[in-house]
Structures are given as structure tokens and as C-alpha cells.
Amino acid sequence: MIVWAIANQKGGVGKTTTTVTLGGMLAQRGKRVLLIDTDPHASLTYYFNIDTDDLSNSMYALFLAGKDVTREQAQQTICASGFDNLDVLPATMALATLDRKLGTQSGMGLVIRRLTQLLQNDYDYVLIDVPPVLGVLMVNALAASTRVIIPVQTEFLALKGLDRMMGTLKLIQHSKSLQHQVTIVPTLYDKRTRASLEAYQKLRTMHGDLVWNGMIPVDTKFRDASTAQTPPSIYAPNSRGVFAYNGLLSTLLSQDQPV
């Protein structure tokens, strides 16, 4: 099983779009994929028309179980996405209370890692949509993953957010003795604007080989796919945005091999 965390400490940079698009593409290639929503806003959960009010279980309940969470509990919490080979572990707003209620309890930083170990034989890939806040949810996602994918909007303020994310990643890696492969993905790139070009060039200058050598363009098909509650690669397979994500996925697959 390969576990990817899609994270950034700035919102609105394309984390959920990246999670859904890459997950959909992997599923279309016949891989068994689990998408984990750890954001209290539950955008990934809503994307697949999963109503949090109707859920008897969610990621919050699994965190309440903590280190005692079982495979049966995890399987009972997983929701079908409506698309072949693609499942979702849903989030609810209750996740926003985790740091206050449970953040100091022993073992709370490793709940998602335990979940992935319990589900090791059920999935080939796990993609975690991470909230833009440093806390127990982000720590969990980073502790469970071997690769961190960081979508970064190609504009000045987003670059500042990336600086915070890179600092957080180094801090957590040091405290948890972790190593990650890191892929920075330029997103919302608009070739018509100087701001996008300058931001992309600065990304390359500051972070070098950590930056994927392509970029994800602004594409209204992403919004349309979200409205249709369908992964972009299924909704608009020939769109320029999907073409770009296919290039990103090819790069990631060439670097990661299942174990």
C-alpha cells in the first residue's frame, strides 16, 4: 500500500481537487483506492454526495477509538464513492474539536497510520486530504504517509503559505523521525498573467527539484466536475486540467512502487 498526504497550510490551493483527481485516475487504472477526508469542512466527503448528517460513523468516531480502533470499525465507516475501485472515509465538523478534546492523549498522532495498517490488504493507494491547520489531523496524515504532495497556487501569498508548510514538515519529520518524498505541485496556473509566471519561476528557484516540472492550469472543468460530483478524469477526460494531472500521476507512479 502507498499512502500520499495532500497538504498545505494555506487553503484554496487545490488540495481536494488534487486528491479527487489523482484518486479517480488511479481507480480508472484498476487500483483499489481509499480517499481519507480529515478536513472538518468535509469538502471531499460532500464531493461524493455523502451527507454527513446521515452518517452513523465517520473519521471522528475512529479517532475516538484511538489506538484501539479495529479493522471492523474502519470497514464499517468507509463509504462507497459511486465509482469503481474508489472508496471514501468521510469527515464531519466534529473533527474540529479533536485538538481540544483528544490532542494530548497518548497515541493520538498515529491513528491514521494504524488505520492504513489495518486496511493494508484492502487498498493499493490511500490519499489523505489534509486540513490547512497544524494540529492532530495534520500530524496524523504526515505520520501515516510516505509522500507529501503540496499543491501551491501560483501567486505570491501562496508562496508564503508554502514556507510555513515546509517548516511544519521539517518539524514533524524531526520530532517523529519520519522521512517523506515531497512533491510541490504548482496549481491554478494562468499563463496569461505575469503573476503566475513569476510565482512559478520563484517556486523553481526556491525549491528546485522538489517542484514538479509541470503545472496544473486554471480549468473551469474542475468546477463543473465538482458540481456533477464526479472525478474530473471521468467527467472531462480530455480537458487540459486532467491532461496536466495525468502528467503528474505518471511522474508519481514512476517514483513510487507499492510495497
Side-chain angles (χ1 to χ4, degrees):
M1 176 191 283
I2 287 178
V3 183
W4 295 340
I6 294 83
N8 195 324
Q9 284 182 256
K10 185 180 184 305
V13 298
K15 293 189 297 294
T16 299
T17 296
T18 298
T19 305
V20 172
T21 306
L22 292 177
M25 289 176 172
L26 286 166
Q28 285 179 283
R29 296 186 183 203
K31 304 300 183 183
R32 300 167 300 167
V33 182
L34 177 65
L35 306 181
I36 299 181
D37 192 353
T38 62
D39 193 328
H41 290 108
S43 296
L44 175 63
T45 301
Y46 288 125
Y47 192 107
F48 291 101
N49 197 30
I50 300 169
D51 189 342
T52 58
D53 292 334
D54 294 337
L55 295 175
S56 57
N57 292 297
S58 70
M59 280 298 296
Y60 181 71
L62 299 182
F63 272 100
L64 288 181
K67 61 185 179 182
D68 297 320
V69 67
T70 67
R71 186 168 184 266
E72 182 180 10
Q73 283 177 294
Q75 289 177 324
Q76 289 175 347
T77 305
I78 292 169
C79 296
S81 70
F83 301 92
D84 291 343
N85 301 319
L86 191 64
D87 291 334
V88 179
L89 258 177
T92 61
M93 280 295 295
L95 285 174
T97 68
L98 273 184
D99 282 283
R100 176 169 52 86
K101 290 184 175 181
L102 304 173
T104 60
Q105 289 189 16
S106 175
M108 285 306 297
L110 299 175
V111 175
I112 295 181
R113 178 187 284 185
R114 175 162 174 76
L115 285 173
T116 58
Q117 291 170 344
L118 293 172
L119 298 170
Q120 177 77 31
N121 296 324
D122 297 339
Y123 296 98
D124 302 305
Y125 285 84
V126 174
L127 279 63
I128 309 171
D129 191 6
V130 185
V133 178
L134 176 56
V136 68
L137 293 165
M138 181 175 285
V139 170
N140 261 269
L142 296 179
S145 59
T146 53
R147 178 181 294 277
V148 182
I149 299 169
I150 308 176
V152 181
Q153 184 178 357
T154 46
E155 57 95 14
F156 177 73
L157 291 178
L159 300 187
K160 293 295 184 181
L162 175 61
D163 290 342
R164 290 197 301 274
M165 184 64 218
M166 296 302 288
T168 294
L169 183 58
K170 289 180 181 178
L171 181 67
I172 293 175
Q173 285 175 329
H174 178 73
S175 64
K176 300 288 186 181
S177 299
L178 299 172
Q179 289 186 332
H180 296 97
Q181 292 180 290
V182 177
T183 303
I184 297 170
V185 181
T187 61
L188 297 167
Y189 182 81
D190 188 345
K191 65 181 181 181
R192 300 168 298 179
T193 67
R194 172 185 281 185
S196 275
L197 177 60
E198 290 179 347
Y200 177 76
Q201 290 174 336
K202 190 167 185 178
L203 269 179
R204 297 291 300 183
T205 299
M206 294 176 62
H207 298 284
D209 291 340
L210 295 181
V211 182
W212 175 53
N213 61 7
M215 63 280 292
I216 306 299
V218 173
D219 190 342
T220 59
K221 293 297 184 183
F222 291 137
R223 183 182 60 221
D224 295 342
S226 176
T227 300
Q229 297 175 313
T230 303
S233 57
I234 296 174
Y235 179 83
N238 298 318
S239 65
R240 60 182 181 172
V242 169
F243 180 82
Y245 271 113
N246 263 313
L248 171 62
L249 182 59
S250 294
T251 297
L252 297 175
L253 293 180
S254 71
Q255 298 172 352
D256 287 3
Q257 295 297 322
V259 293

